[in-house]
Amino acid sequence: MANVLVVAEHQDGKLRKVTLPTITFGEQAAEVVGGEVHVLVLGHGVDAIADEVAKYGNVAKVHYANSAALEKYTAEGFAPVIAQVAEQVDAEIVAAPASAQGTDYLPRVAVALDAGMVTNAIKVWDDGGVRFQRPMLSGSVLETVEVTTPRKIAAVRTTDFDDAKEGDGAPVETVELGESRDDVEFVSMELVKSERPELTDADVVIAGGRGLKSGEAFEMLEEMADLFGGAVGASRAAVDSGYAPTDWQIGQTGKVVAPNLYVAIAISGAIQHLSGMKGSKVIVAINKDAEAPIFQVADYGLVADAFKVVPELNEKLKSMGL
Ligand code: FAD
């Protein structure tokens, strides 16, 4: 037993970007345990997703669990199939994105496989035993966890890994499924509808803080996000003040993002906020206080009143044809 099984994630007929860094984690984990990477796609009629994911990484095989019972996501439906395939491919490590879905089903997979689990894994190595590193306390402490069970489960913090590169192409094999559970029924899922990309998938994130003083002020951030084709985020203080919806929250108790461009507007840069965005490739901060801690992590800083410069920037972006 020394392979790695990576569970792919998709939504609305599209492969979610978080899958690619999870495959990269899988490649690193496979080197540690001396085995192959296998990828599992669960769903119904999502052959195109299985074919797409097969293009990425150094992957031995893509396993496609295609069943009407898997059309709608339920942790109770997915977990037994993941556990079954983990056993079939002799997976020592089962990895999935530390997303809302991944952190929902992985504990059930861990129970089914009698396996130890680590959340938010950012590194894997062997030191006489398989060890994982994970950030704690807003990233101010890095914890090392040794998982001693024969099988190990990892929820991967995808912002810490590069996307898997296109590889030679892996074969896709359909999984023979047993009886599905009939004691759990999918009723409905309410998705927040947005024309904008999902925060954790977006290449550009424009985030606002309490300094904006109202929900209306976020409209100028939404305009900037739309010019870039990006998403809008917020600090917890802005969410708690009712200026922005909860699902925009970035940070320790919100989402973790690592876009190519992160623009922090009227956000002070508290450690709990930084832990959700400091992996961004380029950070731009706009704050009227030159001493604001956000400038310590910013690549570009603008000490200015957001109400003056954000509309000006939007006009400039429009004149550039964005
Ligand atoms: P403030 O700290 O009030 O900063 C507002 C900023 O706006 C200031 O820097 C000010 O100079 C600037 N400003 C004001 N007016 C203007 C203007 N006109 N133009 C430009 N700049 C202006 N926070 C998170 O964000 N995410 C989390 O997930 C999170 N989790 C937490 C978990 C715990 C357990 C705890 C204790 C706290 C958590 N927090 C989190 C809260 C965090 O500590 C901060 O309170 C919060 O991030 C502050 O938000 P802010 O920067 O928007 O507000």
Side-chain angles (χ1 to χ4, degrees), residues 122-302:
I122 59 169
K123 194 175 164 188
V124 55
W125 74 101
D126 191 326
D127 201 357
V130 177
R131 294 187 172 181
F132 300 87
Q133 197 171 59
R134 61 185 293 261
M136 290 174 68
L137 304 171
S138 300
S140 52
V141 174
L142 292 176
E143 183 186 42
T144 295
V145 183
E146 184 168 320
V147 182
T148 53
T149 47
R151 294 194 206 277
K152 300 144 183 74
I153 309 290
V156 179
R157 197 161 97 156
T158 53
T159 51
D160 281 68
F161 296 89
D162 291 333
D163 288 352
K165 305 217 173 3
E166 288 207 16
D168 296 337
V172 179
E173 194 172 88
T174 305
V175 178
E176 293 288 329
L177 292 166
E179 288 283 299
S180 57
R181 284 178 65 159
D182 57 6
D183 57 341
V184 177
E185 193 187 336
F186 174 89
V187 179
S188 70
M189 178 161 71
E190 306 255 332
L191 273 183
V192 180
K193 283 270 168 229
S194 170
E195 296 298 309
R196 301 194 183 100
E198 158 66 29
L199 250 182
T200 48
D201 286 344
D203 283 331
V204 176
V205 172
I206 313 295
R210 178 155 53 191
L212 291 172
K213 296 186 185 71
S214 73
E216 289 73 49
F218 267 79
E219 286 170 15
M220 59 186 180
L221 276 64
E222 293 181 53
E223 187 181 358
M224 188 182 281
D226 290 340
L227 287 166
F228 280 114
V232 185
S235 70
R236 176 163 159 180
V239 170
D240 287 350
S241 304
Y243 307 158
T246 314
D247 59 314
W248 286 6
Q249 186 173 316
I250 291 167
Q252 184 189 331
T253 42
K255 291 179 180 165
V256 177
V257 300
N260 289 326
L261 174 64
Y262 188 89
V263 185
I265 301 173
I267 292 178
S268 58
I271 185 173
Q272 296 90 354
H273 186 79
L274 300 185
S275 74
M277 47 62 76
K278 66 181 178 210
S280 306
K281 308 279 177 305
V282 175
I283 299 171
V284 175
I286 301 174
N287 196 303
K288 67 178 185 185
D289 175 10
E291 302 299 319
I294 191 76
F295 288 123
Q296 287 165 21
V297 297
D299 299 286
Y300 300 93
L302 186 55

Side-chain angles (χ1 to χ4, degrees), residues 27 53-60 165-171:
E27 290 172 336
V53 84
K55 290 189 218 148
Y56 292 98
N58 184 12
V59 170
K165 305 217 173 3
E166 288 207 16
D168 296 337

